[in-house]
Amino acid sequence: MLRAIENAINTVTTPVSKVLRHVAGILLLIMTIIVVAQVLFRYVLNIPLSWTDEMSRFLMIYMTYLCLPFVYLTDKNIAMTFVTEILEKKAPRLFSFLALLAHISAILVFAVWIKFGWNFFQTGSVMADSLPIPMFYVYIIPPVMMGVTILYALQKCVASIRGVLGDFEDVSQTAKTAELFEAPAVEEAPAKEPKQTQSLEPEAAA
């Protein structure tokens, strides 16, 4: 039952996280081009652009929130894992129980974030300083992506409940999903054994 629920959620969350991650990568590329253009116009042509700083800041906000579901799904957030790795090996059920509490706490934090984010969104009728867009378009991304990430937290909760019950199989295959976007490990070439020099001395007669 729990496997079926997790698998059903995963059929939606994994493709969505991949698409959002690709979109975030495109935004990062655009932001890089804008920043480079600003440097060239300011220090080479001596014609500073007024909109590049604000535009790159907005793109950074979008890029960060669009990456959040993928980071949550694949456990790629910044963390000190030396304790959790030991606990996961020595007491996997206890680790799953603590992970369940962490995911429930994350859902509560996301819910609060959505509430305050929506309140902030309602103040977005003002226009941006240097761009002809209302701030609605910037303020909407945090509550929307927090709501999307709650679905990923629920998926993690189901996986943790399975772990508490003794089922540790990676049904969502999050490890494989993370490996798709990681650089392949460079295998070191095996050290060549030194060639044995043939003895130039004639063998002694038996």
Side-chain angles (χ1 to χ4, degrees), residues 21-32:
R21 189 180 185 277
H22 286 306
V23 174
I26 295 173
L27 296 183
L28 176 61
L29 177 61
I30 296 173
M31 185 183 67
T32 303

Side-chain angles (χ1 to χ4, degrees), residues 10-11 38 74 98 109 111 127 140 161 197:
N10 186 64
T11 55
Q38 168 67 346
T74 57
L98 295 177
V109 172
M127 300 295 291
I140 190 58
I161 293 173
T197 56

Side-chain angles (χ1 to χ4, degrees), residues 72-100:
Y72 198 99
L73 177 66
T74 57
D75 296 325
K76 292 299 180 181
N77 50 301
I78 299 175
M80 299 179 66
T81 60
F82 61 93
V83 175
T84 57
E85 288 175 354
I86 296 175
L87 185 62
E88 186 176 9
K89 293 179 180 179
K90 301 294 185 181
R93 290 196 176 189
L94 177 60
F95 173 80
S96 297
F97 177 73
L98 295 177
L100 177 61

Side-chain angles (χ1 to χ4, degrees), residues 63-73 110 145-146 149:
M63 182 188 66
T64 302
Y65 281 99
L66 289 176
C67 285
L68 181 60
F70 180 84
V71 171
Y72 198 99
L73 177 66
F110 294 157
M145 294 313 301
M146 288 296 108
T149 310

Side-chain angles (χ1 to χ4, degrees), residues 7 37 41 45 49 69 78 113 130 132 158 166-167 181 196:
N7 208 6
F41 273 83
L45 302 177
L49 302 175
I78 299 175
W113 205 320
S130 58
V158 175
D167 185 2
F181 300 95
Q196 295 181 354

Side-chain angles (χ1 to χ4, degrees), residues 140-154:
I140 190 58
I141 190 66
V144 168
M145 294 313 301
M146 288 296 108
V148 172
T149 310
I150 285 179
L151 182 62
Y152 292 77
L154 292 174

